Amino acid sequence: MEEVQPIRDTKKIDAMKSIMKGESNYRDLLLFTLGINTGLRISDILALKWSSFLNGGKLLKAGDQLNVVEIKTKKAKTFVINKSVAEALKLYHDSLDSVNPDDPVFSSRKTADGTLKPITRIAAWQMLNRYADMVGLDEGIGTHTLRKTFGYHLYKKGVALEYIQKMLNHSSPAITLRYIGITQEQLNDIYVELNL
C-alpha cells in the first residue's frame, strides 16, 4: 500500500473545493472540507448521520459543537465547527429535498429495501483522487490524506506539536511529525531560519 501524503499547497485545496462547488458536488465538498478541518478518520466521517448536524431540528452553524465517538478508539471527540465546514454543510443540506436524522450524511444510492447506506471508503478514495488529478496532485492521495492535511496545516500555522498530537490521538510527538509528513529537510530549514 502506498503511503499517502498531506496536501501541502493551499492553492490546490482551494482549487479542489472550487471544482466541487462548480460541479454542485456539495456532498463531496462537505466530506473534503470536514476531513481537512477536523482530522476525523474517514471511517468516522462516513458513519455520521444527519442527527449529528442537527440541534433541535436546526442545522449546526459556525461556532457550534459537533460530538463524535471515534470508531477506532471509542473516545469521544468534541470540536467546534469552523466557518468553512459550516458553509459546506449548509450548501449540501440546502441542495437536498429533505433530510432524515437517521440517514447517513454521505449517502450512496438507496438499497433494494429503500434504506440509505453511506458511501464506501473506496468511493471516497475515488472521489478524492478524481479531484486531486484535476488540480495536478499526483503524489499519494488517499482518504487518510484528509487527516494528514489537517495535522500538517496546524503545524505550519504554528500550533504546538503537543496539541496536534492530542488532536490526532498519537502516543508521541515523533509519530505526529512523521505522520503529517514533516521531513528532515523542513526541520533543517527551521534551524537555518533561527539564525540567532
Side-chain angles (χ1 to χ4, degrees):
M1 183 189 320
E2 184 180 332
E3 184 175 332
V4 300
Q5 297 298 316
I7 302 171
R8 293 176 176 87
D9 186 346
T10 56
K11 289 179 183 161
K12 300 281 187 183
I13 291 171
D14 292 341
M16 288 174 71
K17 289 168 71 175
S18 290
I19 293 168
M20 292 174 204
K21 284 180 187 174
E23 294 181 351
S24 300
N25 287 328
Y26 301 129
R27 181 196 68 182
D28 297 352
L29 176 65
L30 178 58
L31 188 149
F32 181 70
T33 305
L34 190 63
I36 64 174
N37 282 281
T38 65
L40 286 173
R41 291 178 182 85
I42 194 67
S43 55
D44 296 323
I45 292 171
L46 297 179
L48 289 169
K49 296 195 179 300
W50 277 107
S51 57
S52 301
F53 291 103
L54 299 171
N55 185 7
K58 293 187 178 187
L59 195 64
L60 296 181
K61 59 188 181 316
D64 289 342
Q65 288 188 339
L66 180 63
N67 302 302
V68 176
V69 176
E70 294 179 325
I71 293 169
K72 181 178 180 179
T73 65
K74 307 290 186 246
K75 292 181 181 177
K77 184 171 184 167
T78 300
F79 50 88
V80 175
I81 292 178
N82 67 20
K83 183 180 170 190
S84 294
V85 171
E87 288 174 359
L89 176 62
K90 183 164 178 22
L91 277 172
Y92 181 38
H93 179 268
D94 291 353
S95 74
L96 302 172
D97 294 332
S98 65
V99 296
N100 179 331
D102 296 326
D103 285 344
V105 174
F106 304 102
S107 60
S108 183
R109 294 185 174 92
K110 287 184 179 180
T111 61
D113 66 1
T115 59
L116 289 173
K117 298 287 183 198
I119 64 172
T120 64
R121 291 175 69 99
I122 292 169
W125 177 86
Q126 290 169 332
M127 176 269 294
L128 287 170
N129 274 273
R130 177 177 167 264
Y131 294 113
D133 286 345
M134 293 171 86
V135 301
L137 284 172
D138 53 5
E139 66 174 38
I141 299 295
T143 55
H144 226 53
T145 293
L146 303 175
R147 188 167 152 84
K148 288 185 173 194
T149 299
F150 168 76
Y152 175 82
H153 286 283
L154 286 177
Y155 181 79
K156 293 299 279 185
K157 287 187 182 283
V159 173
L161 189 57
E162 293 79 14
Y163 290 134
I164 301 168
Q165 175 190 341
K166 183 171 177 57
M167 293 168 97
L168 295 174
N169 286 323
H170 287 162
S171 59
S172 76
I175 290 171
T176 301
L177 282 173
R178 190 173 61 248
Y179 181 84
I180 62 177
I182 301 301
T183 64
Q184 185 61 50
E185 182 178 312
Q186 289 166 310
L187 294 175
N188 289 345
D189 288 345
I190 294 169
Y191 286 112
V192 170
E193 289 174 20
L194 181 61
N195 208 22
L196 296 172

